[in-house]
Amino acid sequence: MTRPVPARTTSTELLVLHTLRCVGVSGLSRVAGAVGLTESDAESELIDLAVAGLVTRASGDFGGWGITEAGRVADAERIADEVAAAGARPRLTVAFDQFLLLNPELLDLCTSWQTRMTGGAMTMNDHSDPSYDARVLDRFTEFHRRAEPVCAELSAALPRFQRYPVRLADALARAGAGSLEYVTDSTSSYHTVWFQLHEDLLTTLGIPRH
């Protein structure tokens, strides 16, 4: 009887490196939250990566941790090796095609959240109309139900994708509880996490962003 090949677990070091590749220059708390580590553990990994020349830290108000060019090369090589070793490319490709079908709808939802028709003109949504916001959030909830199978397929192909549905569901729950910045405005918002997932899929499959 042939036994299934166990799912490969991505090393914490690669998770941190790849997260920086996907989110860009970020503060410690954002990196830790994206990876699912304590800030202490995330900082330890970042320091080790910095010693290896793969990431760097800029000081100042707009500073943070960022990936170096050597880090980008190393990340691309390690992620490609991970995908090949897991034989995950076919499943990831199918799931990515499904993601691309959903992506325009998510962008439209974000536009509906940020703007609205008022008096025949498009204006910024100042969130003074709870009933309007509730209707848009209901559409986000319905969208999320249809996105869940795609996230499940990605997670089955590579376990490191399991963080995305957790973070998306958390953002939606926080928004529903009244923290409206978790729709589009926070670094942990639904839109931000979705954008990171898009970037992750592109880099994982070696597809350039157009």
Side-chain angles (χ1 to χ4, degrees):
M1 179 177 178
T2 302
R3 295 187 178 184
V5 178
R8 293 175 60 86
T9 302
T10 307
S11 71
T12 304
E13 179 187 66
L14 181 54
L15 281 175
V16 172
L17 180 65
H18 190 61
T19 293
L20 275 184
R21 168 64 185 84
C22 295
V23 304
V25 177
S26 304
L28 176 60
S29 62
R30 185 181 182 190
V31 176
V35 180
L37 295 174
T38 64
E39 290 192 10
S40 176
D41 287 343
E43 186 173 41
S44 178
E45 294 291 344
L46 287 165
I47 289 172
D48 288 345
L49 288 166
V51 171
L54 302 181
V55 306
T56 186
R57 185 178 185 278
S59 58
D61 293 340
F62 300 100
W65 291 94
I67 193 167
T68 64
E69 188 56 38
R72 287 176 179 273
V73 172
D75 177 68
E77 292 175 348
R78 295 178 190 181
I79 290 297
D81 288 345
E82 176 188 57
V83 171
R89 178 168 290 276
R91 294 184 75 175
L92 290 174
T93 300
V94 170
F96 182 51
D97 288 342
Q98 296 169 340
F99 175 92
L100 290 179
L101 292 176
L102 291 170
N103 193 51
E105 184 178 349
L106 186 278
L107 298 179
D108 286 344
L109 278 174
C110 291
T111 298
S112 295
W113 179 257
Q114 295 170 325
T115 62
R116 59 178 301 185
M117 290 295 294
T118 305
M122 188 67 72
T123 62
M124 296 300 297
N125 180 18
D126 61 7
H127 304 293
S128 61
D129 184 351
S131 62
Y132 176 83
D133 285 353
R135 290 195 299 273
V136 180
L137 283 175
D138 284 344
R139 290 169 58 197
F140 266 97
T141 299
E142 194 274 332
F143 172 87
H144 183 70
R145 280 197 292 267
R146 288 184 289 112
E148 284 180 321
V150 179
C151 290
E153 182 65 17
L154 291 170
S155 300
L158 282 179
R160 65 177 171 82
F161 281 100
Q162 292 171 357
R163 282 290 299 162
Y164 289 103
V166 172
R167 295 169 63 203
L168 289 168
D170 179 67
L172 195 58
R174 288 174 182 268
S179 297
L180 302 184
E181 69 273 17
Y182 278 89
V183 180
T184 61
D185 298 328
S186 165
T187 56
S188 298
S189 72
Y190 197 98
H191 175 255
T192 301
V193 176
W194 184 267
F195 180 87
Q196 184 187 338
L197 173 56
H198 192 180
E199 189 68 21
D200 197 339
L201 286 166
L202 290 172
T203 56
T204 297
L205 292 170
I207 301 171
R209 179 179 281 279
H210 299 294

